[in-house]
Amino acid sequence: MRIDIMTLFPDSVDAMMQTSIIGRGQQRGHILIKSHQIRDYTTNKQMQVDDYPYGGGRGAVMQADPLYRCWAHIKEEAGMEKSRTIFMSPCGRTFDQTVARELKDSYDHLILICGHYEGIDQRFIDECVDEELSMGDFVLTGGEIPAMAVADAICRMVPGVLPDAECFMEESHWDGLLEHPQYSRPEQWHGRSVPEVLLSGHHGNVAAWRKKESYKRTMIRRPDLFAKFDETTLTTKAERKILQQAKEEVAQENKT
């Protein structure tokens, strides 16, 4: 998986994308994340990338030509067929785990464009952008944080970046549920104890407890997510029993 990020602040992007798990994934050759300074593709001495908006109004708009030159260079350099260009924008569809999996499975190459000021020239979007993605119903000062979030969410699922698929398949949102609570040493902390089942060494009971707590947490914290959960995917009696126990416990807690 290769991801190119078009930005006015490549140093900020590199500082994050070249460290920790994602950085090690790049060092091992499983992924490649490159940042590109859009100003390098200007044709004026001032390296100007923005100008006043037609029609008036406050702020400035990023110009189409520097963006296009940068984009064209990336396309030529990468030379990858399964490529998709994405503009990080509050006007796009909301990015979530399902979208992350879709992009990881469908493309080998992503170009992420970070806008600034009042946005970017619509003509560049019309000509070069395949889709727009949003982090949610809010606005940031630039697209770098959303672009890094998208890159991180996708790249951590690329084989070899994490030790195995279980590392991300058991996390929140993978199967439409929130992840169960986690605990570490010591067993007692500030008068609070680790649940006994996690100390039992019984892998079956631990797995059942974690699944039940995942159901409960989703029901309580994100009823909108749980409403989308397809119970018909539970094919065994044991799985259906765990779900029923979770529902009963949540109902009891609501009464108290």
Side-chain angles (χ1 to χ4, degrees), residues 212-230:
K212 183 182 68 174
E213 292 301 314
S214 175
Y215 287 137
K216 290 174 61 177
R217 177 173 279 190
T218 309
M219 282 186 250
I220 294 169
R221 299 188 182 185
R222 292 293 305 274
D224 58 316
L225 280 182
F226 190 75
K228 300 176 184 178
F229 179 69
D230 184 3

Side-chain angles (χ1 to χ4, degrees), residues 113-162:
I113 302 167
C114 305
H116 272 274
Y117 315 122
E118 296 305 310
I120 68 179
D121 194 306
Q122 183 65 40
R123 291 169 294 183
F124 171 78
I125 297 175
D126 293 341
E127 183 161 336
C128 303
V129 172
D130 295 309
E131 74 167 307
E132 300 178 37
L133 284 180
S134 169
M135 290 292 104
D137 297 334
F138 55 91
V139 178
L140 299 173
T141 55
E144 283 73 23
I145 291 175
M148 288 188 285
V150 168
D152 189 292
I154 293 171
C155 287
R156 68 196 308 274
M157 294 186 290
V158 173
V161 175
L162 293 177

Side-chain angles (χ1 to χ4, degrees), residues 6 41 66-76 85 111 113 124 127-129:
M6 295 170 51
Y41 298 88
L67 290 166
Y68 178 79
R69 290 171 180 270
C70 182
W71 176 83
H73 170 80
I74 293 170
K75 293 284 283 188
E76 182 179 2
T85 300
I111 301 175
I113 302 167
F124 171 78
E127 183 161 336
C128 303
V129 172

Side-chain angles (χ1 to χ4, degrees), residues 79-125:
M80 303 175 77
E81 293 184 4
K82 295 174 65 177
S83 178
R84 191 162 184 81
T85 300
I86 299 171
F87 173 41
M88 307 311 303
S89 162
C91 299
R93 66 166 171 161
T94 303
F95 181 76
D96 59 17
Q97 190 67 33
T98 300
V99 177
R101 292 168 65 177
E102 171 194 318
L103 293 173
K104 193 270 291 185
D105 294 338
S106 302
Y107 303 99
D108 298 324
H109 180 222
L110 299 176
I111 301 175
L112 306 181
I113 302 167
C114 305
H116 272 274
Y117 315 122
E118 296 305 310
I120 68 179
D121 194 306
Q122 183 65 40
R123 291 169 294 183
F124 171 78
I125 297 175

Side-chain angles (χ1 to χ4, degrees), residues 169-221:
M169 290 180 68
E170 292 189 351
E171 292 181 327
S172 293
H173 302 293
W174 179 261
D175 57 1
L177 300 170
L178 300 183
E179 187 179 9
H180 55 78
Q182 298 278 13
Y183 297 86
S184 185
R185 297 180 180 180
E187 293 181 19
Q188 297 285 335
W189 181 80
H190 289 200
R192 300 173 184 271
S193 302
V194 175
E196 290 186 12
V197 65
L198 299 181
L199 307 175
S200 67
H202 193 296
H203 298 300
N205 290 347
V206 169
W209 179 87
R210 285 175 169 170
K211 178 58 71 173
K212 183 182 68 174
E213 292 301 314
S214 175
Y215 287 137
K216 290 174 61 177
R217 177 173 279 190
T218 309
M219 282 186 250
I220 294 169
R221 299 188 182 185

